[in-house]
Amino acid sequence: GNLKPEDIMGSSSIQAAIVYAIGIFIGNNLDRKKYTIVSNEAGLRLDKENNFSNDLAIFHKNVKLNRHYFNIAPILAIEVDIKADINESPFATNEDYIITKSQKMLDFGTQQVIWILTQSKKIFIVSNDGPWKIVGFDYDISLLENCVLNMKTLLLNEEITI
């Protein structure tokens, strides 16, 4: 649209620190010869009318990198908090936004979408492989291969307090 640069919402300091910490964790625990890990609100073009961005996304290594949005689904997407202005959208609640975006990502081909909500300290784990789950920060989340993320442990190790 016609947004001015100052209208674009940035990340909170806690969100930025957590996204970075998760990215480092995944990079250290996943075979980077097999996967490409991207961050910084990487753009994803589902179709002419649906563009999304992800805090972190993991693709197979052969994904084409260029100056455009990704046009294939990531294997895994991770979101930390919600930056969308729900008041300026068709969504009644944050949960509506999470459910709708997650389902569109799954329909596009993403295998798993994870939402880390810092205020409630809850994690939504969404996939086509089973029931969607809402868990606490102390839950072990199986990402890919042998990469298991535990937010409570990560935050303690990184000395991030929320």
Side-chain angles (χ1 to χ4, degrees), residues 104-123:
K104 285 185 178 185
M105 296 274 306
L106 294 177
D107 292 345
F108 188 59
T110 302
Q111 294 173 16
Q112 186 175 44
V113 182
I114 296 169
W115 291 83
I116 298 164
L117 306 178
T118 59
Q119 190 166 355
S120 63
K121 294 185 179 170
K122 296 293 180 196
I123 302 168

Side-chain angles (χ1 to χ4, degrees), residues 46 52 95-110 112-113 115 126-128 130 132:
L46 278 66
F52 286 148
E95 292 80 11
D96 287 341
Y97 177 74
I98 289 171
I99 291 166
T100 301
K101 181 174 180 179
S102 297
Q103 189 60 60
K104 285 185 178 185
M105 296 274 306
L106 294 177
D107 292 345
F108 188 59
T110 302
Q112 186 175 44
V113 182
W115 291 83
V126 178
S127 75
N128 283 328
W132 295 16

Side-chain angles (χ1 to χ4, degrees), residues 1-149:
N2 295 329
L3 290 177
K4 296 178 290 211
E6 59 270 17
D7 292 333
I8 298 170
M9 296 177 75
S11 298
S12 69
S13 58
I14 195 78
Q15 180 188 24
I18 290 172
V19 168
Y20 182 72
I22 294 170
I24 296 273
F25 174 83
I26 292 171
N28 287 336
N29 289 282
L30 207 62
D31 184 351
R32 294 196 320 253
K33 298 241 183 260
K34 292 168 75 174
Y35 301 102
T36 296
I37 305 160
V38 298
S39 65
N40 197 29
E41 293 297 319
L44 179 64
R45 184 170 179 87
L46 278 66
D47 56 45
K48 274 199 260 186
E49 296 171 15
N50 287 292
N51 290 323
F52 286 148
S53 61
N54 300 123
D55 288 329
L56 286 162
I58 302 171
F59 294 88
H60 288 288
K61 193 65 173 183
N62 61 357
V63 68
K64 183 179 176 187
L65 301 177
N66 55 42
R67 290 184 171 31
H68 305 284
Y69 280 12
F70 288 97
N71 60 5
I72 64 165
I75 304 164
L76 171 75
I78 298 176
E79 302 291 344
V80 178
D81 292 329
I82 297 170
K83 289 177 296 306
D85 186 356
I86 300 303
N87 296 327
E88 301 294 323
S89 77
F91 305 105
T93 64
N94 287 340
E95 292 80 11
D96 287 341
Y97 177 74
I98 289 171
I99 291 166
T100 301
K101 181 174 180 179
S102 297
Q103 189 60 60
K104 285 185 178 185
M105 296 274 306
L106 294 177
D107 292 345
F108 188 59
T110 302
Q111 294 173 16
Q112 186 175 44
V113 182
I114 296 169
W115 291 83
I116 298 164
L117 306 178
T118 59
Q119 190 166 355
S120 63
K121 294 185 179 170
K122 296 293 180 196
I123 302 168
F124 283 68
I125 303 171
V126 178
S127 75
N128 283 328
D129 293 339
W132 295 16
K133 299 179 214 166
I134 302 174
V135 298
F137 273 25
D138 58 346
Y139 187 85
D140 287 341
I141 305 164
S142 180
L143 301 179
L144 291 167
E145 296 181 359
N146 295 322
C147 185
V148 177
L149 174 65

